[in-house]
Amino acid sequence: MPFVDTQLVLFDEDYRKVLGVCERLARDAHSKGVFVVDKNGQLMAEAGDLRGLDTTSLASLTAGCIAATGGLAKIIGEEEFPIHFHQGQRDNLHMTVVAKRIILVVIFDERSSLGLVRLRVKKAGAELARVFEEIQKKSERARNGATSPFAEITDDDIDKLFAD
Amino acid sequence: MSFINYASREINCKVVYYGPGLCGKTTNLQFIYAKTNPDLKGKMISLATETERTLFFDFLPLALGQIRGFKTRFHLYTVPGQVFYDASRKLILKGVDGVVFVADSQMERMEANIESLDNLRVNLGEQGYDLAKVPYVIQYNKRDLPNAASLEEMQRLLNPSGAPEYEACATVGKGVFETLKAVAKGVLTDLKKMAR
């Protein structure tokens, strides 16, 4: 089964590793915010000074954007466009596809530069790829083993969600 | 596919509302959005044309409650129903955990329903999914219209396998939450099976 289609399980220790990479990148790239988003639109980690941002929407739209341009890439014979840059009047958005499954999003303004962001993202992306290789292995083990929180739920637990 | 996050104790699942153009997919989401407690929902996003036809997708994040200490979150998406947006529909189906097929009950839309259902089957197949195995619910929408086909006719044409089915009138909310609950339950039951 391809990596993209497997269920993803994120354990505490892996989350801390992902967060560590994000925090370092946010600092080193002088960015306003860094986000790690699953290609299916789930937010996995965030770092930086951005407050009050609708991160759920950000994650969903990031995934939609990468999916749409990925479709465009295939039309012209490319596998994917792994790097995206959107320039705004005040803030800019840099997106990179990591390990074919994860999107690394960096938001920055005039206190940083595209060159610096690219440089730092390259290093952080390589680190994240290694972390996600581990996460994938653990996800597969969790899917096949008893570590899933769903292994022991009952029909009753599910029914209770819809009680009202 | 679902995403289990032990750090935030959350389980995230993706449900896609599929169906022909103007069958009421967006209306389903709008009703759910309007009637859900603000604490349980996020912002609804609609990427639509100026004439309010879905261009790429609608998106609504919902929190359903806790199971064994894990918050269950559902991300509801709609696809653009118009035939020529097929490339977009394929993208939105990626990573889907459950599907709702919204059928338009009007007799003159029956061919569009059949075509859209075939298209769903093909697009799911391209992603390696089998409609018979994915948690799946069918909703017969617009039951209030005078030109609605009989329920038996719709069942015969669109649901020969006997998937869970609901009659609905999404504009007033009839059948909307019943459909959502059925697909959510199907997704969670499926996750439970996968965990065994």
Side-chain angles (χ1 to χ4, degrees), chain A residues 26-131:
Chain A
R27 213 173 35 241
D28 293 350
H30 301 299
S31 70
K32 293 176 81 174
V34 171
F35 303 87
V36 173
V37 177
D38 175 39
K39 257 191 177 178
N40 292 330
Q42 322 275 9
L43 180 71
M44 305 183 77
E46 61 179 303
D49 299 326
L50 285 170
R51 297 275 178 270
L53 212 66
D54 180 359
T55 50
T56 311
S57 298
L58 180 135
S60 161
L61 288 171
T62 299
C65 180
I66 292 288
T69 46
L72 276 175
K74 285 194 176 68
I75 289 173
I76 64 161
E78 282 287 328
E79 194 190 335
E80 193 158 45
F81 293 127
I83 298 172
H84 294 233
F85 172 58
H86 299 284
Q87 186 170 7
Q89 285 196 336
R90 201 181 57 240
D91 292 334
N92 312 299
L93 204 143
H94 189 278
M95 296 190 275
T96 321
V97 179
V98 175
K100 293 191 174 173
R101 168 159 200 169
I102 300 303
I103 308 160
L104 180 57
V105 183
V106 180
I107 298 174
F108 64 99
D109 60 14
E110 79 286 347
R111 285 171 292 179
S112 185
S113 68
L114 179 57
L116 179 66
V117 169
R118 281 204 163 156
L119 184 72
R120 301 302 190 202
V121 158
K122 202 170 175 187
K123 188 174 168 230
E127 280 179 59
L128 275 182
R130 281 194 295 276
V131 176

Side-chain angles (χ1 to χ4, degrees), chain A residues 132-143:
Chain A
F132 274 97
E133 205 175 306
E134 270 301 302
I135 291 175
Q136 188 201 355
K137 283 181 194 155
K138 285 186 188 172
S139 294
E140 277 165 16
R141 281 202 294 274
R143 203 176 60 235

Side-chain angles (χ1 to χ4, degrees), chain B:
Chain B
M1 290 303 272
S2 55
F3 167 42
I4 302 175
N5 189 338
Y6 279 83
S8 57
R9 311 284 295 172
E10 278 179 13
I11 294 156
N12 292 278
C13 304
K14 178 175 180 178
V15 169
V16 174
Y17 281 68
Y18 214 91
L22 296 173
C23 68
K25 302 174 288 295
T26 300
T27 311
N28 262 270
L29 257 63
Q30 283 169 336
F31 187 82
I32 294 166
Y33 182 75
K35 296 292 174 189
T36 303
N37 182 331
D39 298 339
L40 303 178
K41 68 185 176 191
K43 207 168 164 185
M44 179 166 166
I45 293 173
S46 286
L47 301 179
T49 66
E50 283 180 7
T51 53
E52 295 193 3
R53 300 297 303 273
T54 303
L55 179 63
F56 194 9
F57 59 77
D58 302 304
F59 168 68
L60 174 59
L62 272 189
L64 275 190
Q66 293 208 358
I67 287 190
R68 302 264 163 152
F70 277 77
K71 285 174 240 161
T72 54
R73 294 187 189 280
F74 279 80
H75 287 180
L76 311 183
Y77 286 84
T78 66
V79 297
Q82 294 174 86
V83 176
F84 53 88
Y85 288 135
D86 198 38
S88 301
R89 278 194 293 277
K90 286 180 191 182
L91 297 176
I92 294 154
L93 277 178
K94 277 185 183 170
V96 71
D97 294 299
V99 178
V100 172
F101 184 82
V102 182
D104 190 328
S105 292
Q106 297 178 94
M107 257 167 322
E108 57 270 33
R109 296 297 288 160
M110 215 47 66
E111 210 171 302
N113 287 329
I114 293 167
E115 191 184 344
S116 177
L117 188 56
D118 282 343
N119 177 254
L120 168 63
R121 231 175 249 123
V122 170
N123 285 346
L124 278 176
E126 282 183 19
Q127 319 267 350
Y129 298 103
D130 178 354
L131 184 59
K133 290 179 185 158
V134 171
Y136 168 63
V137 173
I138 183 162
Q139 179 189 78
Y140 305 121
N141 194 23
K142 309 191 189 181
R143 295 307 295 162
D144 57 322
L145 294 185
N147 54 343
S150 72
L151 190 60
E152 294 72 29
E153 179 77 349
M154 296 198 75
Q155 286 167 328
R156 187 178 65 79
L157 290 169
L158 303 172
N159 193 17
S161 61
E165 54 186 14
Y166 294 87
E167 290 185 81
C169 177
T171 47
V172 295
K174 185 177 172 280
V176 169
F177 276 98
E178 289 82 349
T179 307
L180 173 65
K181 282 179 185 177
V183 74
K185 210 168 166 176
V187 169
L188 294 172
T189 307
D190 205 49
L191 282 176
K192 185 184 152 187
K193 274 189 224 153
M194 275 166 62
R196 277 183 175 164

